[in-house]
Every structure is written in structure tokens, then in C-alpha cells.
Amino acid sequence: MSLTPRRPLSPDTPPLPAPPPPAQKQTPAASLDVFTGDPNFMTSLARGLIVIQAFTQQNPQMTISQLSVRTGLSRAAVRRCLYTLTKLGFAGAEDGSRYSLRPRMLTLSHTYTASNTLSSAAQPILERMSAALRESFSVATLDGDDIVYVARTTVNRVMAVDLHIGSRLPAYCTSMGRILLAYLTPEQIEAYLARVNLVPHTTRTVVSVEKLRMLLRNVRRNGYALCDQEYEVGLRSLAVPVLAPNGRAVATINLSGSAPRISALEMQTRFLPHLRNAASELAVFLR
């Protein structure tokens, strides 16, 4: 079969547009640009907090160069932050080059949990439920596009990741996250759906914006969210809202269990009433 030769481009033919450059992931330091010119904003404090948050369970020790790459801050800025944190006892480097956070950092989280009404009130409620039902329960709030655990009890380790107070998970593929998203205003939900990157954590993860929008409507209508192995294979979870007097979901409480051990039906029939009672009890402290 003969192929028709392409007609050569004439001098007047405009060149094809160059492909757009790949999108650059915004660094934590770049997020501070919006505060440029604000005389009340302490940039040095913000940089220190960015350095602190760069340490994770996967990266507990890092050099100045590694922290500079992760944060987007200059090496000089990272060095000053680490110098200050080290002098105050919040960080240190055993070998002089690889820095890590120090136990004194726990005083900051303790201050939050001791002074936060929601966290201090939730913990005994969860412990009582865990003792009676022999299951793991958690309370979380929404922080940006993630949920943050503010109280938790663990009877049986049901997740591969070690969750604790302060742990963060994506909102879109967790039962607690869907509760907190579903009770946002319609405008807030649409803004979230427009910016979220729906990464498939398992083959069951919902990665369609339209399907997620429909699920959030169902969650709001039913008053609970059930996620079946969307964040981790083998993990099933059920969550309900903790409502303030104005109807806003200020937090959420959930049960996490092994999918082979607890069916979705058992979660809805046996455990949902307990979760709703606990949410009502916790809501009293918000009045």
C-alpha cells in the first residue's frame, strides 16, 4: 500500500505550538508567597514550622540539603531554623549532619490535647466504647484537604500505617473525610472538587469527581459514611458527624475494622447506633 507523501510546509505555515512545560509541584515555602507584604505575618516563624512539618515517619532524619529540597527553602534559611530549634531543644543532629526532632516536640502536641475541649472530651468516650465493643475508634477534624486525628483508641491494629493523634489522611477516600466534606457548604465542596487530586490508593478508590460528588450527597442525606477498602486493602470504616448547634460538622467519629472480620451490614446494624450515641455525647461539649 502506497502512502501519500506529506505536503511540505510553506513558509507561511505557522509552527506548531510548543508543548506546555510539566506542572511544577508547589513547595511548602511557595505557599508563603500569598502573605508577602503583610506586616503582621512572621515569615521566620512560618519557615520554622515548615521545617518541623517536613519530618515524617518515612523521613525522620534529614540533612540540611534534603530539608531544603523538601521545603523549598534555601539552605541558609533551613540552617537558621535548625539552629534555633536545636538551641531550644526541639531538634538535634547526633552525627552533626542528619537532623531529627527531639522528644521536647511532644510538649507542643500535649499542650493542644490538654487545652482542646474536643480532644480531651473525646478520648474517654472512645476508651469506653473500645472497652465495651473491643474495636478501634477515632475522632478527627478537617485541616485543609486532610483529616487530622485528635483522639484515638486502638484495640487491634487494623491498618498497615501506624495512626496516632496528629496523623493525617486524605479526606476523599476515608469515611471520616467524607463526613467532613459532605457537611461543607455547596460552594466549599465544589471548590474542593475542583482542586483535589484523586489518587487511587487501592483498586476500590473512587477517583471520579462526579462519583465523589454523588457519594457526598448520599453521606449528607444518610448521616453516615462507609468506606470499603478505598484507602487500604482489608480496611473497612464507618463514620458519623459530630454536629455543633448550628448544624456544622466540627468533627467526626469512626470505627475502623478488618473487612474480612466485620461486614458492611454488621457495621451499619450493630455499630452505627453506638457511633451516633457517642457523637451526640461529644456534641454536648461543643455547646
Side-chain angles (χ1 to χ4, degrees), residues 136-139 149 175-176 237-240 252-256 275:
S136 300
F137 297 93
S138 306
V139 170
Y149 285 73
S175 62
M176 291 195 288
S237 63
L238 179 72
V240 299
T252 174
I253 182 170
N254 96 323
L255 157 74
S256 298
L275 286 177

Side-chain angles (χ1 to χ4, degrees), residues 66-80:
Q66 290 171 330
L67 282 164
S68 177
V69 172
R70 285 182 64 88
T71 62
L73 297 170
S74 68
R75 287 169 53 90
V78 171
R79 184 181 294 106
R80 289 193 298 271

Side-chain angles (χ1 to χ4, degrees), residues 8 47 105 177 245:
R47 288 172 177 166
M105 193 64 66

